[in-house]
Amino acid sequence: MRIVDVRERTVPISRYATRDVGRGGLDTTAVAVVTDVRRDGEPVVGFGFSSIGRFGQGGLIRERFAPRLVAAGEELASASGDNIDPFRAWDRVMRGEKPGGHGERCVAVGTLDMALWDAAAKIAGQPLHAFLADATGSRSSGAPVPVYAGGGYYFGADDTARLTDEVRGFLDRGHTHVKIKIGGLPLAEDLERIEAVLSLLPGADHLAVDAMNRYDPDQAVRAAHAMAPYGLRWFEDICDPLDFATHARIAELYPPPLAAGEALLSAADARNLARYGGLRADRDVLVFDPAHCYGLPGYLRIVRVMESAGWDRRAFQPHGGHLFSLHVAAALGLGGSEANPHNFQPFGGFADDAVVDGGRVRPPEAPGIGFETRSGLITLFRSLLRP
Ligand code: MG
């Protein structure tokens, strides 16, 4: 049981298909991890990517982490010898890494980790949610997972009309909860956008807002005071992710739920959030992205850190809006998952034939993560394997 080859390519991703929503210069790295295991005459290949919202990691993967994986040979085999053990692979990839320095390598490692779990679940013939539940001692029934539709970026023209069209589209597809962006316009204009969306929803607890870490401390206070009366579902990514003092200040003056963690990338960061961020375990939401924080072994450490600080794992709603986060939420019994129904294509979203029913969606039952259930995405992944 070995990894014989790792292919990678960094590709641009757009928030929306339309050109007047800024791309933000984003890209992501797609990887294919080729094993020496064969099924139906073909090698089993795991696929992964650097999730969404940060950047591609081709350099670190190519120069540092993929060579370690290939050089590890049989060290990666599970105890029973019949599969790759993703935890052993993670230890091998991280061997020699120094404490700290969580800035970007966590994303490179998480990218390979996603592909390793895909490969291992495929070798086991199980969907990832079931394989991961077995591997971590939890139980996944494959029951539908609560999801919310992420979107609500700023359109370059006719913003309010197009924003409300977008939200109507989410509702027509079976979504019940949505999240929109704030912090990119003067506060009064953001409040108008919030009110326009609220007019389409049954209650304010169906709408979350995401400031994308843009507010300085004073702006955060003004926004919190202005939004508190709405009683929104949550207020996410308030300020600089490491400004725990501002988090704590907002938590004192803003009674509705807050959400944090998307731009915190390690268990050490999570511990600081728990200690100093002032967040409230009875209502606040944790949006760490499993692929951005060193993959599943790193994410599981974060879950343990927060549980030992008194949090329930249902407070976790992983960022990403794609199949991997959906399986993770199902396997670990998390509170839900983001969905990216039409943004960040072809990476965002679930199976092509997935049905969102009452705001819930089932992870696919195909072996592995089930990227094969997304025709546009699997075409891109398979193109990595061409000579
Ligand atoms: Mg966010």
Side-chain angles (χ1 to χ4, degrees), residues 105-284:
R105 75 172 176 198
C106 46
V107 183
V109 173
T111 304
L112 288 171
D113 177 77
M114 189 191 295
L116 287 161
W117 284 96
D118 187 41
K122 281 172 175 163
I123 291 168
Q126 290 181 289
L128 179 64
H129 69 84
F131 182 76
L132 177 58
D134 287 349
T136 56
S138 59
R139 189 184 304 170
S140 172
S141 61
V145 176
V147 297
Y148 68 88
Y153 286 92
Y154 298 101
F155 293 96
D158 303 323
D159 178 57
T160 307
R162 291 164 74 190
L163 171 68
T164 49
D165 279 352
E166 182 184 10
V167 170
R168 276 192 208 95
F170 291 150
L171 301 176
D172 288 346
R173 290 170 81 145
H175 288 284
T176 55
H177 293 78
V178 301
K179 184 173 84 182
I180 67 170
K181 303 304 180 188
I182 59 168
L185 285 175
L187 182 57
E189 292 174 51
D190 272 337
L191 297 179
E192 285 174 20
R193 296 178 99 241
I194 288 170
E195 290 182 15
V197 174
L198 285 179
S199 72
L200 305 174
L201 298 173
D205 58 346
H206 289 245
L207 174 63
V209 293
D210 180 353
M212 300 175 76
N213 307 107
R214 280 190 279 215
Y215 288 137
D216 68 25
D218 291 339
Q219 290 171 324
V221 169
R222 280 197 293 277
H225 280 305
M227 290 194 300
Y230 294 115
L232 298 175
R233 189 178 189 206
W234 71 69
F235 174 16
E236 173 177 324
D237 295 339
I238 303 168
C239 58
D240 186 287
L242 294 173
D243 182 357
F244 300 119
T246 296
H247 272 103
R249 188 169 167 213
I250 301 299
E252 280 193 3
L253 62 86
Y254 183 82
L258 301 171
E262 177 184 329
L264 296 178
L265 309 170
S266 69
D269 288 339
R271 194 169 293 112
N272 281 334
L273 181 70
R275 280 181 184 159
Y276 308 118
L279 296 188
R280 302 143 310 180
D282 65 348
R283 77 199 82 159
D284 292 331

Side-chain angles (χ1 to χ4, degrees), residues 297-311:
Y299 190 75
L300 291 166
R301 286 179 193 186
I302 289 172
V303 172
R304 285 194 290 273
V305 162
M306 298 310 291
E307 284 184 327
S308 55
W311 290 71

